[in-house]
Amino acid sequence: MAKLKIIVSAASFFCTRIEWALKLKGLEYELTFEDWDKGKSELLLKSNPVHKKIPVLLDDGVAIAESKVILEYIDEKWKGGDFYPLLPQDPYERAQARFWAQFADDKCAYSTWRGWHAEDALEKEKAMEAALESFAYLEKQIEGKKFFAGDKIGHLDLVAGWIPRWLGVMEETGGMKIFDAERFPSLREWGENFMDIPLIKDCVPPRDVLVDHFFRGLSHLRSLEPNKP
């Protein structure tokens, strides 16, 4: 079996979800890190010329981009037998997992990102309100379950897996508060169950690495903003 490679950054949850999937499948892989201080590498630009973003999975020379697309590729290529299933077999349940995974990225992660980097107080407040509304939908999805997929983790758990560790770092570095354990008790319990899995925990970057990454990210984003009058 050809060794797989993933083009990643050291602190991106979009990349970590790919590592989780490969480990669940029992596949060997190696990481190729992007050094943002040196700009985007030739390998990244060649492998993902459209979006020029990480992560990118390299499978025997073939490049697959976009994290949720990569997750589905992994699940389709390595399925059956002893391979761990990420998506349900039932067509309806599979469609639901895909829908909520897209929601988790488009609504929860995006509104959190908007609040994290917003300098304007009103803009930050609106983003936080949007995030709270989005997390409320996820709270309903996880109520009464150990994981989104049931008794075992699956596709949606991997996509939402940034919440237990990355969200707190984004709140700290972005000067905001979104997640309230009393408001989202089922999500809090899910996050604890998720992070208790050794395979999951082992792939998560140390907190100080994440904090440094997000502080540097804020500085970089604000350096790109036009000067205000």
Side-chain angles (χ1 to χ4, degrees), residues 61-120:
V62 176
I64 303 95
E66 300 298 312
S67 66
K68 289 191 296 299
V69 174
I70 296 172
L71 290 179
E72 295 206 32
Y73 174 85
I74 291 170
D75 203 36
E76 279 293 316
K77 182 164 183 178
W78 291 283
K79 63 181 179 180
D82 294 331
F83 288 120
Y84 188 99
L86 301 179
L87 281 161
Q89 293 301 306
D90 179 79
Y92 174 77
E93 292 180 0
R94 190 162 60 246
Q96 287 296 297
R98 286 170 171 155
F99 172 85
W100 286 108
Q102 192 68 44
F103 177 90
D105 272 357
D106 288 351
K107 299 296 184 180
C108 299
Y110 179 65
S111 55
T112 301
W113 179 83
R114 283 177 50 221
W116 166 71
H117 78 80
E119 288 189 273
D120 179 75

Side-chain angles (χ1 to χ4, degrees), residues 39-209:
K40 297 181 180 181
S41 69
E42 290 186 13
L43 179 61
L44 175 61
L45 296 175
K46 177 182 178 182
S47 303
N48 188 6
V50 177
H51 296 300
K52 304 177 178 64
K53 293 180 180 179
I54 53 167
V56 178
L57 176 69
L58 300 175
D59 179 12
D60 198 19
V62 176
I64 303 95
E66 300 298 312
S67 66
K68 289 191 296 299
V69 174
I70 296 172
L71 290 179
E72 295 206 32
Y73 174 85
I74 291 170
D75 203 36
E76 279 293 316
K77 182 164 183 178
W78 291 283
K79 63 181 179 180
D82 294 331
F83 288 120
Y84 188 99
L86 301 179
L87 281 161
Q89 293 301 306
D90 179 79
Y92 174 77
E93 292 180 0
R94 190 162 60 246
Q96 287 296 297
R98 286 170 171 155
F99 172 85
W100 286 108
Q102 192 68 44
F103 177 90
D105 272 357
D106 288 351
K107 299 296 184 180
C108 299
Y110 179 65
S111 55
T112 301
W113 179 83
R114 283 177 50 221
W116 166 71
H117 78 80
E119 288 189 273
D120 179 75
L122 181 59
E123 182 182 349
K124 186 180 289 288
E125 182 180 352
K126 288 182 178 179
M128 290 167 59
E129 289 175 357
L132 285 169
E133 181 179 348
S134 300
F135 280 116
Y137 281 104
L138 279 191
E139 172 73 10
K140 291 180 181 179
Q141 290 301 308
I142 194 62
E143 283 179 355
K145 297 187 289 186
K146 185 175 184 180
F147 300 110
F148 286 103
D151 293 332
K152 296 182 179 180
I153 59 176
H155 182 80
L156 178 53
D157 295 282
L158 301 189
V159 172
W162 64 277
I163 296 172
R165 179 63 63 86
W166 279 264
L167 177 56
V169 172
M170 294 178 76
E171 288 178 322
E172 177 184 337
T173 57
M176 60 183 184
K177 183 62 178 176
I178 294 174
F179 194 82
D180 184 341
E182 293 185 1
R183 187 169 187 169
F184 304 116
S186 298
L187 271 177
R188 177 194 57 77
E189 185 176 359
W190 161 80
E192 292 175 353
N193 292 331
F194 187 71
M195 291 303 298
D196 277 344
I197 300 172
L199 177 151
I200 297 298
K201 187 183 300 183
D202 290 348
C203 292
V204 176
R207 197 175 193 280
D208 60 336
V209 172

Side-chain angles (χ1 to χ4, degrees), residues 192-228:
E192 292 175 353
N193 292 331
F194 187 71
M195 291 303 298
D196 277 344
I197 300 172
L199 177 151
I200 297 298
K201 187 183 300 183
D202 290 348
C203 292
V204 176
R207 197 175 193 280
D208 60 336
V209 172
L210 293 177
V211 170
D212 178 69
H213 169 80
F214 279 98
F215 270 131
R216 292 178 64 192
L218 271 182
S219 297
H220 175 69
L221 282 173
R222 288 171 181 172
S223 71
L224 298 177
E225 294 177 354
N227 293 328
K228 296 179 181 179

Side-chain angles (χ1 to χ4, degrees), residues 25-44:
K25 293 287 185 179
L27 300 170
E28 293 185 359
Y29 62 92
E30 65 180 52
L31 301 175
T32 299
F33 289 93
E34 286 290 299
D35 184 346
W36 300 122
D37 291 333
K38 298 180 180 179
K40 297 181 180 181
S41 69
E42 290 186 13
L43 179 61
L44 175 61

